[in-house]
């Protein structure tokens, strides 16, 4: 039986039954469920909120922050960060101000140096993983634990400025916060408490790093190192933390850039980045290698110095498995969604709305031939980095880091997912892929 027929057959009074079926179906075959919703019930009201599945409606929700706010996860995020943050607020004061500040700190000019940094860190991690596997007599290594997670964390350490913080600490703590804020829909108290405690640990670690930098003389107006110089704690590395500590905002901009606020910004960046990067580098490889012809073409593109063509393969792969498939918004005033279309729906204040970006990217009325893998698609329809008022403010470094992490692997023919197990991500009972075995066949950098 099709999903909607089965769903409608459950009495409206049995909310748990309906939600159970929805979750079960989403897990069993999410793409098929979303396709049915787009075709038959594109604005789908359920006991856990309204699912918005078509591209124009997702765009409307994410671009109208005065109606659809981040109030669903905002309070939990600020509890975990122990302070205010842009992804927890909407409107002219904090969101506008902190986002403007973040845009200055994460500029497009970082693309090339961050790409170089990612290449170096990735090659080093691959050398290490292959060598350790050899020494231990293994023919494989774990792509998630020995490559994607540590590479993402080492890039965070050097580029964002978490000097001397161990990579396991950055990855583990950020995963706990991410899970408590964005994945814990049932508000499990243990998951919540663990995320809030992890956020406090990150806050205190960063307070220590900031304290050491201040003691070394890093202050507003102090000269920084040359662009792309990510090293050191005492001097003036041009990492994101160093930039923030050397920046004085002009008077009259409303909010002080004190050390506490710098702390909230930096930890917030890590929460926005670390799991996204590690998981995207994993799911992109899985989607590519599951399509042998595309994979062969991507391998050829990876060898080119001009990375634009290769990057198209990675973002298209992520369209099929984004890290953030859907983002919730709180409708704070009555609103008519998709006004004047057959989908027109009146939403009451207080409704939770799920803007389903993974579905929107397959909206056949907007995206040409959506089920075909096309690496040359326009980025306009790609929502892997979000959309609208809260789209990814780290998009420039993200566009360097994720494709380069995948590219370094493709440049090593000896490192490949195991034949027949290309789609075998092991989540180990968590919401995140934790293990993905790959062959450990070559030590030299390509
Ligand atoms: C590595 C791949 C990345 C992916 C796939 C990604 C994805 C996303 C997505 C989907 C959103 C929208 C969230 C929502 O609407 O609920 C977002 C927002 C955000 N991202 Fe990223 N991100 C990445 C990297 C980064 C990096 C490198 C940073 C900072 C260093 C960052 C910081 C942020 C912040 C602060 C926001 C919230 C912006 C706002 O509230 O206006 N992200 N990201």
């Amino acid at each position: 039986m099709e999903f909607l027929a089965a769903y409608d057959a459950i009495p409206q009074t049995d909310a748990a039954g309906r939600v159970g079926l929805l979750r079960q179906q989403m897990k069993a075959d999410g793409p098929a469920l979303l396709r049915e919703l787009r075709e038959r019930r594109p604005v789908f009201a359920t006991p856990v909120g309204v699912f918005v599945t078509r591209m124009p409606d997702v765009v409307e929700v994410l671009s109208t922050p005065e109606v659809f706010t981040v109030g669903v996860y905002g309070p939990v995020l600020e509890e975990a960060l122990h302070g205010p943050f842009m992804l927890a607020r909407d409107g002219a004061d904090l969101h506008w101000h902190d986002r403007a500040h973040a845009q200055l700190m994460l500029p497009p000019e970082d693309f090339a140096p961050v790409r170089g940094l990612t290449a170096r860190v990735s090659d080093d991690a691959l050398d290490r993983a292959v060598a350790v596997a050899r020494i231990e007599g293994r023919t494989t290594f774990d792509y998630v634990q020995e490559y994607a997670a540590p590479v993402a964390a080492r890039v965070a350490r050097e580029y964002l400025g978490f000097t001397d913080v161990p990579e396991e600490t950055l990855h583990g703590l950020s995963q706990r916060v991410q899970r408590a804020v964005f994945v814990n829909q049932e508000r499990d108290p243990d998951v919540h408490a663990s995320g809030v405690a992890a956020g406090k640990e990150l806050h205190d670690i960063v307070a220590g790093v900031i304290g050491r930098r201040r003691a070394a003389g890093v202050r507003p107006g102090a000269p920084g190192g040359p662009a792309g110089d990510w090293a050191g704690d005492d001097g003036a590395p041009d990492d994101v933390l160093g930039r923030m500590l050397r920046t004085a905002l002009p008077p009259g901009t409303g909010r002080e850039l004190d050390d506490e606020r710098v702390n909230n910004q930096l930890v917030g960046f890590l929460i926005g980045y670390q799991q996204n990067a590690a998981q995207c580098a994993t799911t992109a490889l899985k989607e590519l290698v599951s399509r042998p012809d595309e994979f062969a073409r991507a391998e050829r593109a990876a060898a080119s110095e001009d990375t634009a063509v290769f990057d198209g393969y990675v973002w298209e792969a992520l369209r099929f498995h984004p890290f953030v498939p859907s983002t919730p918004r709180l409708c704070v005033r009555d609103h008519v969604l998709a006004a004047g279309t057959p989908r027109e729906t009146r939403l009451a204040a207080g409704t939770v709305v799920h803007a389903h970006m993974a579905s929107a990217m397959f909206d056949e009325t907007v995206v040409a031939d959506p089920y075909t893998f096309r690496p040359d698609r326009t980025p306009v329809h790609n929502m892997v980095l979000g959309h609208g008022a809260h789209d990814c403010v780290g998009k420039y470094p993200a566009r360097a880091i994720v494709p380069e992490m995948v590219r370094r692997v493709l440049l090593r023919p000896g490192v490949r997912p195991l034949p027949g197990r290309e789609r075998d991500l092991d989540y180990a009972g968590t919401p995140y892929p934790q293990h993905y075995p790959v062959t450990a066949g070559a030590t030299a950098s390509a």
Side-chain angles (χ1 to χ4, degrees), residues 289-344:
V289 79
S290 312
R291 298 171 171 80
D293 293 347
E294 300 298 342
F295 190 73
R297 283 191 273 273
E299 278 182 317
R300 285 196 291 278
S304 168
E305 283 299 309
D306 178 359
T307 53
V309 172
F310 176 75
D311 293 0
Y313 281 88
V314 172
W315 295 111
E316 175 68 349
L318 290 170
R319 191 173 67 89
F320 287 84
H321 193 154
F323 180 63
V324 184
S326 168
T327 185
R329 294 291 186 262
L330 183 64
C331 177
V332 292
R333 61 173 87 137
D334 294 356
H335 181 79
V336 179
L337 183 72
T341 75
R343 308 182 301 282
E344 178 170 304

Side-chain angles (χ1 to χ4, degrees), residues 1-4 6-7 10 14-34 36-37 44 46 48 51 185-186:
M1 192 173 5
E2 286 179 330
F3 166 74
L4 283 171
Y7 183 91
I10 300 172
D14 183 5
R18 286 186 156 193
V19 172
L21 180 69
L22 175 66
R23 294 208 166 125
Q24 180 199 322
Q25 197 67 23
M26 195 65 95
K27 204 168 170 195
D29 193 351
L33 165 61
L34 293 166
E36 192 182 336
L37 291 181
F44 177 48
T46 79
V48 288
F51 284 69
Q185 281 162 10
E186 280 98 32

Side-chain angles (χ1 to χ4, degrees), residues 73 86-87 95 99 272-273 276 327 329 385-386 390 392-393:
Y73 53 64
M86 71 189 89
L87 189 51
H95 181 251
R99 192 173 158 103
Y273 157 74
N276 270 312
T327 185
R329 294 291 186 262
L385 292 169
H390 289 274
C392 183
V393 79

Side-chain angles (χ1 to χ4, degrees), residues 77 81 85-86 98-99 101-106 156 159-160 162 174 240-241 244 261-276 392-394:
L77 178 57
L81 292 180
F85 190 60
M86 71 189 89
D98 282 11
R99 192 173 158 103
H101 170 252
Q103 277 171 333
L104 280 174
M105 300 298 129
L106 303 162
Y159 170 60
L160 295 180
F162 290 88
S174 65
V240 172
L241 175 61
M244 291 198 281
R261 187 174 152 224
V262 167
N263 192 323
N264 298 150
Q265 288 283 79
L266 192 71
V267 176
F269 292 165
L270 183 76
I271 304 308
Y273 157 74
Q274 173 65 26
Q275 304 307 315
N276 270 312
C392 183
V393 79

